[in-house]
Amino acid sequence: MTQLEAAKQGKITPEMERVAAREKRTPEFIREGVAAGRIVIPANKNHRGLDPLGIGAGLRTKVNANIGTSPRHLNAEQELVKLRTALDAGADAVMDLSTGGDLDALRKQTIAASHVPVGTVPIYQAAIEALKRHGSIVAMSADEIFQVIERHAADGVDFITVHCGVTRESVNRLRRQGRITDIVSRGGCFVLGWMLHHGAENPLYAQFDRLLEICRRYDVTLSLGDGLRPGCLADATDRAQVQELIILGELVDRARERGVQVMVEGPGHVPLDQVAANVQLQKSLCRDAPFYVLGPLVTDVAPGYDHIVSAVGGAVAAMAGADFLCYVTPAEHLGLPTAEDVREGVIAARIAGHAADIVKGVPGAREQDLAMARARKALDWEKQVALAIDPEKARRLRQQRNPAGIRECTMCGEFCAMRLVAEFLGTTRALC
Ligand code: SF4
């Protein structure tokens, strides 16, 4: 039985209990959210050691970190370092997007070392195996695609991105309207290539029930990918993107009917004034399915700083109701991220999520800021470090910039307004 099937039957599972405790919500709140499809708990029955995580309405905004090899960088040990870095930095989930080396071994390594949910994009492996077996990335059969999906599910993958909305209908619309960057999703690109090569409908759409059957068996959460997401601001919120989203909304209904948990992925590159509208559109068309956004990136011209660009868009998206932020690293658009890039990406996305959680009324979010404000006024540096989103950096900078260990910081020193005003007003004792 999947979490969704249990919730619909009124059962509270151990996973729902755990999510409730982590979120400071009641188990019934979680069960109701899962039953309605507003919350998902990606928890494959075969993922041992998983600490169950809830994603969706009324819960803390979650952050995903993508790791994985590429054909030119296929060091498994380095990916393990990135995984540990992402977890240490506070990532709530990781996706193994490996495309180089022994993909089965890399995936198993990631699952075994992760207490957080693990996601994959199985079409990558299907395409790579087709290249080896048939000489072309688009030459795989539909059966081979589903066999790879089944392999990922059996290994314990908790959620899979599947580009079911790249269909003849949506591709025709894309062609008619024209775009600057066409398709920038790797999975969307493979699916388009497959459709053109075989002259057939996307098998992930045409055989959606087959996909659902695999997911139901292992309780894999579907993450309906946006293969037609905009790759630049000029392509944002266009007909092709919206057409795909309408199709994904219909597939959300079908997944829920079959007891399969489902979330929906979203853009991409979006101007700031369209971010909230994109979230509202998704929530409306997909009947409040949790929304998993990549960015959004709110400008195209800051390579090297796209973690910040993404955090700006992510904060606005999460404030408008997005539930799950896929991090972007400083290396986005430039190369495969290093472990340090991973750390910066996770922290930037966590800041975006937390900023939104404060105004979304997520339990504990505003209280954390209030505690930090009190610690600042009291010049309590230990408490400030403990409350920081990145305690390691806060501690390091405090120590580096204040080797003499003065009570204030070196910004104002003896003219510290925090201390002086407390003395002027006689509030020092009360605050400390
Ligand atoms: S010295 Fe200045 S910056 Fe530092 S804690 Fe005091 S008021 Fe704040």
Side-chain angles (χ1 to χ4, degrees):
M1 186 183 295
T2 66
Q3 297 292 327
L4 176 53
E5 288 170 326
K8 279 181 182 172
Q9 292 179 18
K11 293 180 183 150
I12 292 173
T13 63
E15 288 81 5
M16 292 175 205
E17 297 264 15
R18 173 63 183 147
V19 170
R22 295 179 77 178
E23 299 282 347
K24 301 184 181 70
R25 296 286 190 185
T26 64
E28 182 57 18
F29 178 92
I30 303 299
R31 189 204 63 76
E32 272 180 17
V34 173
R38 294 189 302 268
I39 293 173
V40 293
I41 303 177
N44 186 313
K45 293 168 182 172
N46 289 349
H47 186 173
R48 297 186 204 295
L50 174 73
D51 191 3
L53 179 85
I55 301 167
L59 309 185
R60 181 174 59 79
T61 303
K62 304 305 186 305
V63 168
N64 173 75
N66 290 337
I67 59 167
T69 59
S70 77
R72 289 172 191 271
H73 295 273
L74 35 78
N75 186 322
E77 186 53 39
Q78 275 177 10
E79 293 313 312
L80 212 46
V81 171
K82 285 187 207 170
L83 171 65
R84 292 192 190 112
T85 304
L87 297 178
D88 286 349
D92 298 294
V94 293
M95 291 191 79
D96 173 18
L97 305 186
S98 290
T99 53
D102 184 342
L103 302 186
D104 288 332
L106 286 160
R107 182 174 61 257
K108 285 175 181 162
Q109 160 182 291
T110 303
I111 295 167
S114 294
H115 64 275
V116 302
V118 174
T120 59
V121 188
I123 194 82
Y124 292 178
Q125 185 166 7
I128 291 160
E129 290 182 357
L131 183 62
K132 287 184 192 147
R133 197 174 297 142
H134 308 297
S136 164
I137 56 169
V138 295
M140 65 271 201
S141 67
D143 282 349
E144 286 169 337
I145 295 174
F146 284 101
Q147 282 160 14
V148 172
I149 291 171
E150 175 103 36
R151 226 187 299 162
H152 285 221
D155 280 349
V157 168
D158 302 290
F159 61 101
I160 55 170
T161 294
V162 274
H163 301 87
C164 305
V166 180
T167 64
R168 281 177 162 155
E169 194 181 10
S170 56
V171 170
N172 283 340
R173 200 167 296 281
L174 176 81
R175 279 184 151 149
R176 277 204 299 277
Q177 70 161 26
R179 261 188 178 184
I180 305 288
T181 58
D182 295 322
I183 291 179
V184 295
S185 151
R186 218 170 0 176
C189 154
F190 292 161
V191 169
L192 173 76
W194 189 96
M195 291 166 64
L196 297 177
H197 177 80
H198 293 268
E201 182 56 282
N202 175 359
L204 296 169
Y205 177 76
Q207 300 183 50
F208 190 64
D209 286 337
R210 188 174 174 184
L211 181 61
L212 292 178
E213 187 43 47
I214 296 171
C215 291
R216 204 184 70 77
R217 204 175 317 137
Y218 299 92
D219 201 1
V220 172
T221 298
L222 274 181
S223 188
L224 296 176
D226 52 337
L228 303 186
R229 68 170 173 266
C232 66
L233 298 192
D235 292 340
T237 330
D238 66 1
R239 294 169 193 153
Q241 182 197 326
V242 175
Q243 174 73 61
E244 182 185 39
L245 190 58
I246 291 169
I247 294 167
L248 297 184
E250 290 169 352
L251 297 180
V252 164
D253 291 348
R254 287 174 59 186
R256 287 175 176 170
E257 280 163 19
R258 293 289 294 274
V260 172
Q261 301 189 87
V262 59
M263 54 187 170
V264 174
E265 298 183 12
H269 293 240
V270 181
L272 204 46
D273 63 346
Q274 293 179 24
V275 171
N278 267 267
V279 177
Q280 286 149 9
L281 204 54
Q282 183 275 349
K283 290 282 175 181
S284 178
L285 294 175
C286 301
R287 301 189 203 267
D288 293 325
F291 197 21
Y292 178 22
V293 292
L294 175 60
L297 293 150
V298 294
T299 174
D300 297 335
V301 297
Y305 297 90
D306 275 331
H307 58 313
I308 296 172
V309 173
S310 167
V312 172
V316 176
M319 182 172 66
D323 308 283
F324 193 17
L325 305 179
C326 186
Y327 86 163
V328 169
T329 76
E332 182 77 9
H333 301 112
L334 300 170
L336 196 72
T338 62
E340 182 55 25
D341 293 331
V342 166
R343 204 188 72 81
E344 286 191 46
V346 171
I347 296 293
R350 285 187 57 211
I351 293 168
H354 178 74
D357 288 346
I358 291 166
V359 294
K360 281 160 98 176
V362 169
R366 195 173 282 270
E367 290 78 0
Q368 186 178 350
D369 285 61
L370 186 57
M372 177 63 95
R374 291 203 163 109
R376 284 204 171 122
K377 183 63 180 171
L379 298 174
D380 184 337
W381 300 98
E382 277 308 311
K383 208 172 266 181
Q384 289 178 55
V385 167
L387 289 163
I389 283 182
D390 184 353
E392 185 275 325
K393 186 168 185 178
R395 183 181 300 283
R396 178 161 42 85
L397 289 185
R398 165 73 185 160
Q399 286 171 348
Q400 280 175 358
R401 310 294 158 87
N402 185 16
I406 62 170
R407 183 166 175 244
E408 307 85 3
C409 79
T410 51
M411 180 78 182
C412 329
E414 64 191 294
F415 307 117
C416 173
M418 292 283 192
R419 180 178 61 77
L420 287 174
V421 172
E423 287 171 9
F424 295 157
L425 295 177
T427 53
T428 310
R429 284 171 64 85
L431 285 163
C432 294

